[in-house]
C-alpha cells in the first residue's frame, strides 16, 4: 500500500470512528479526543490507539468494541487492532471546540 493510500485509509477510519458515541457524554470519540492515533500498516492492518476519560471507565468495553467495529466497517481496512492507553492521560483540553460547546465547556 502506498503512503498516500495508507493516509487515505487512516482518514476514512477516523471518519468511521466518529460514529462511535460515548454513552456517558453523548458525543463521538474522535471529537472528544479519545482517539490518539489511527495508523495503517502493511496489508491494510489498522491500529487505533485510544483512551477513555478515566481509568476503570464503565464504558471501556463498549467504546473499544465500537471503535473496532467502526474501523472494520471501512471496506479497504484489513485486520483492526484497538489499543487502549492512558499515556498521556485524557483531559478536556483534548476535545475539539465543537465537543466542548456541545458539553457546555467554555
Amino acid at each position: 500500500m502506498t503512503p498516500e493510500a495508507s493516509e487515505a485509509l487512516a482518514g476514512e477510519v477516523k471518519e468511521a470512528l466518529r460514529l462511535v458515541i460515548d454513552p456517558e457524554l453523548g458525543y463521538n470519540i474522535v471529537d472528544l479526543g479519545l482517539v490518539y492515533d489511527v495508523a495503517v500498516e502493511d496489508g491494510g492492518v489498522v491500529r487505533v490507539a485510544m483512551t477513555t476519560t478515566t481509568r476503570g471507565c464503565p464504558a471501556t468495553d463498549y467504546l473499544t468494541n465500537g471503535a473496532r467495529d467502526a474501523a472494520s466497517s471501512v471496506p479497504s481496512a484489513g485486520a483492526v487492532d484497538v489499543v487502549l492507553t492512558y499515556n498521556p492521560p485524557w483531559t478536556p483540553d483534548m476535545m475539539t471546540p465543537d465537543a466542548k460547546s456541545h458539553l457546555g465547556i467554555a
Side-chain angles (χ1 to χ4, degrees), residues 18-97:
R18 282 192 161 84
L19 299 175
V20 181
I21 305 299
D22 183 300
E24 295 174 318
L25 298 176
Y27 213 74
N28 75 75
I29 63 173
V30 173
D31 291 329
L32 287 173
L34 300 179
V35 175
Y36 287 170
D37 187 49
V38 176
V40 178
E41 299 177 357
D42 289 339
V45 174
V46 176
R47 301 221 186 273
V48 177
M50 65 176 291
T51 195
T52 57
T53 56
T54 60
R55 287 183 183 265
C57 172
T60 299
D61 288 342
Y62 174 85
L63 295 172
T64 56
N65 290 334
R68 185 174 298 104
D69 292 346
S72 295
S73 75
V74 176
S76 51
V80 175
D81 183 26
V82 176
V83 178
L84 190 65
T85 183
Y86 293 99
N87 188 18
W90 180 86
T91 68
D93 292 336
M94 296 173 167
M95 292 190 288
T96 65

